[in-house]
Amino acid sequence: MRKTVLIVEDEFLIAMDLKLLLERSGWYVLGPAATVEEALELLDDELPAVALLDVTLRDGSVTRLAEALCERNVPFVVASAYSRPELIGGEILAGAPTVGKPTEERLLIAVLEKAVRS
Amino acid sequence: MNLEDLYRLLRNGHVEAQGIIDTVPDPLLVLDQNLCVRTASRAFFTFFKVDRDETIGQHIYDLGDRQWDIPELRRLLEEVIPKSTAVVDYEVEHDFPSIGRRTMLVSARRLFHPDNNSRTLLLSIVDATERRQHEAEKDVLLGELRHRMKNLLGLVQAIARQTTAAGRSGEEYRDAFLGRFNALVQAHEAAYAQEGEADLQEVLERTLEPYSAGPTGVLVESGPAVPLASKQIMTLSLILHELATNAIKYGALSIPEGQVRVRWAVAEASAPHLRLVWQESGGPAVAPPASSGFGTQLIEFAVSRELGGRVELNYQPAGLVVEIVAPLGSVS
């Protein structure tokens, strides 16, 4: 199966970095999406194996997208500078694996791969 | 000493004692062993909007429509105080009918008496509502600051990771990284130094100033006023840095005779668009690079994602021509 990851991040340099480093590690990247709307549209075309989410996006909190991912059984990993993303993005983010920001490359890949396996 | 003198002496003593109590700015209550109010301070009456007659002699729980009959306070008075000589700053949050929801710090001490172990209590009540609000606001602010710092570190990490290292010496990598790092610092400075907006001309001149020395170099032509938001300033500064660095390495700025002209126009079509042109001339013959490096990707990504526009890089024999077209006004 193709390792696909949807990247949702509104800071363009960080979005680029994540995209390039994941592509180098053999992932096929959907996005990066900078808004919830954009990400939801991408989901209509193709469901990724996993999604990597920033918590606050240009059109608000990622909550609605996280709910949509849950409904479609797509696991997600949170990459945020907030130490407790659920305080900003709501309960739907509680318990989701987090990789923090700045994001360490090896940790990111390990957590994504684990999320896809589980 | 006659009786009248004695009375005056006692009265003066009493007035002075009450005066001391009434001067303390925080509400005070003196309670007897049955928790009935013996004395209340002026601050207590004014703060809780009650009068003397409905206060003195009353049981504390019966005061002001039982507004002090608070489970937390009951626990404090009935369980904590009998076992200790003083309780300091016990936090009570309560909806008071007359003054609304408040956070009170209640301190209770046994009233000092030289002879016996007094069972009279001195209760002081400090309204900490505003202080608590300030603390909460400060926490939010600090959290936000922490968040922004980590985001900024994330940006630095991104350019450190994506600046090409393969085939370069340590020095070359360091210079390339620091070039971008400085661009990021300056872009940040330009975007946030003067709250809000700056004009395109100003941003171009300031960002390209280091490359504009002498008759050649970068020439910024005059154009119409285009106000930019902080996010756009940041993006544009980073794009300009990539273009200038590239011109110094491979393009018109790699030789003294080369020149770059930057000009722009606003197209008032259905929605106003900015058309910004970076035109190199007089440099070595150029050819499109075999693969697009991080710099080129950064420019393309920044224009499409951040400015909502499109960019064309034309490697013409006379020099690179970059054309950026982006909508104005509605850019996020």
Side-chain angles (χ1 to χ4, degrees):
Chain A
M1 191 190 92
R2 238 179 13 159
K3 291 195 297 184
T4 51
V5 54
L6 168 66
I7 298 178
V8 184
E9 166 66 61
D10 64 347
E11 191 67 65
F12 87 93
L13 272 176
I14 292 174
M16 260 185 91
D17 177 38
L18 292 171
K19 175 177 188 287
L20 293 172
L21 88 84
L22 286 173
E23 282 175 351
R24 278 202 291 262
S25 304
W27 288 82
Y28 179 78
V29 173
L30 301 177
T35 61
V36 171
E37 280 309 318
E38 210 182 313
L40 287 172
E41 274 172 34
L42 289 172
L43 286 187
D44 285 342
D45 294 341
E46 181 176 355
L47 283 188
V50 62
L52 182 62
L53 307 182
D54 185 17
V55 175
T56 30
L57 300 166
R58 287 194 195 154
D59 54 351
S61 149
V62 79
T63 315
R64 205 153 52 89
L65 176 62
E67 286 164 359
L69 289 166
C70 268
E71 279 168 25
R72 293 166 170 83
N73 288 319
V74 175
F76 54 82
V77 170
V78 177
S80 166
Y82 287 113
S83 42
R84 294 184 61 196
E86 69 274 15
L87 295 184
I88 309 289
E91 272 308 297
I92 186 93
L93 300 185
T98 58
V99 289
K101 190 188 280 178
T103 313
E104 205 269 313
E105 187 167 346
R106 268 173 305 181
L107 173 76
L108 170 65
I109 288 164
V111 172
L112 283 180
E113 277 172 358
K114 187 165 172 237
V116 172
R117 278 197 306 271
S118 59
Chain B
M1 190 185 281
N2 62 29
L3 207 58
E4 202 171 307
D5 287 340
L6 189 63
Y7 170 74
R8 196 171 293 128
L9 200 68
L10 284 171
R11 193 173 180 286
N12 283 347
H14 173 75
V15 167
E16 189 172 70
Q18 185 66 39
I20 291 171
I21 284 186
D22 285 341
T23 308
V24 175
D26 297 322
L28 291 177
L29 283 179
V30 178
L31 303 180
D32 67 17
Q33 56 180 325
N34 299 316
L35 303 179
C36 289
V37 179
R38 285 176 49 166
T39 314
S41 70
R42 209 162 49 109
F44 182 87
F45 298 130
T46 35
F47 190 82
F48 293 102
K49 300 187 171 81
V50 288
D51 69 32
R52 201 179 162 74
D53 293 341
E54 58 184 350
T55 307
I56 306 295
Q58 296 289 319
H59 193 279
I60 181 163
Y61 301 145
D62 293 332
L63 284 180
D65 294 329
R66 299 191 71 79
Q67 61 178 319
W68 289 97
D69 189 3
I70 308 167
E72 289 167 74
L73 190 65
R74 271 182 180 266
R75 207 181 78 77
L76 175 72
L77 292 174
E78 291 162 22
E79 293 171 33
V80 182
I81 291 189
K83 294 185 200 127
S84 56
T85 50
V87 173
V88 178
D89 288 350
Y90 188 90
E91 194 170 314
V92 176
E93 222 187 304
H94 186 62
D95 260 318
F96 291 92
S98 54
I99 53 171
R101 187 156 195 87
R102 296 274 155 167
T103 306
M104 299 294 184
L105 298 181
V106 179
S107 297
R109 292 178 177 84
R110 283 175 206 280
L111 203 64
F112 174 77
H113 194 284
D115 300 335
N116 64 7
N117 204 353
S118 153
R119 300 201 57 191
T120 306
L121 292 176
L122 176 67
L123 223 63
S124 75
I125 301 147
V126 176
D127 182 8
T129 313
E130 281 180 20
R131 196 200 306 170
R132 285 284 182 273
Q133 268 168 6
H134 285 315
E135 282 167 4
E137 281 162 16
K138 206 174 74 186
D139 285 350
V140 169
L141 212 63
L142 279 176
E144 192 50 40
L145 190 68
R146 211 169 103 82
H147 176 246
R148 286 195 187 186
M149 268 178 55
K150 283 165 84 178
N151 249 325
L152 213 52
L153 287 173
L155 290 178
V156 175
Q157 184 190 47
I159 59 171
R161 196 148 50 197
Q162 298 305 335
T163 295
T164 306
R168 280 180 167 174
S169 71
E171 280 91 355
E172 285 168 336
Y173 171 81
R174 182 197 61 197
D175 291 348
F177 164 72
L178 286 180
R180 284 197 174 114
F181 177 76
N182 289 332
L184 188 68
V185 173
Q186 279 164 18
H188 199 261
E189 191 75 10
Y192 298 102
Q194 49 200 58
E195 292 294 313
E197 296 188 339
D199 193 77
L200 176 62
Q201 179 111 28
E202 194 187 333
V203 173
L204 288 172
E205 281 170 359
R206 194 172 42 205
T207 314
L208 296 172
E209 196 255 314
Y211 316 103
S212 308
T216 54
V218 181
L219 179 74
V220 178
E221 294 178 10
S222 298
V226 178
L228 298 173
S230 56
K231 193 84 188 169
Q232 295 167 300
I233 299 170
M234 178 122 177
T235 306
L236 205 58
S237 307
L238 291 175
I239 293 171
L240 292 169
H241 170 261
E242 291 303 327
L243 288 173
T245 317
N246 189 63
I248 287 171
K249 275 183 86 174
Y250 312 108
L253 300 182
S254 64
I255 55 169
E257 298 77 34
Q259 195 176 45
V260 179
R261 296 179 90 85
V262 182
R263 60 176 189 276
W264 71 96
V266 174
E268 299 283 353
S270 51
H273 273 71
L274 168 71
R275 186 169 162 273
L276 179 77
V277 179
W278 168 283
Q279 184 163 23
E280 299 187 17
S281 62
V286 292
S291 66
S292 74
F294 178 67
T296 311
Q297 291 188 56
L298 187 151
I299 293 168
E300 285 168 349
F301 215 85
V303 172
S304 69
R305 314 292 299 188
E306 297 297 297
L307 303 180
R310 55 186 174 76
V311 57
E312 266 179 50
L313 291 95
N314 297 311
Y315 293 90
Q316 296 175 2
L320 172 67
V321 179
V322 179
E323 189 180 311
I324 294 169
V325 178
L328 285 171
S330 62
V331 182
S332 57

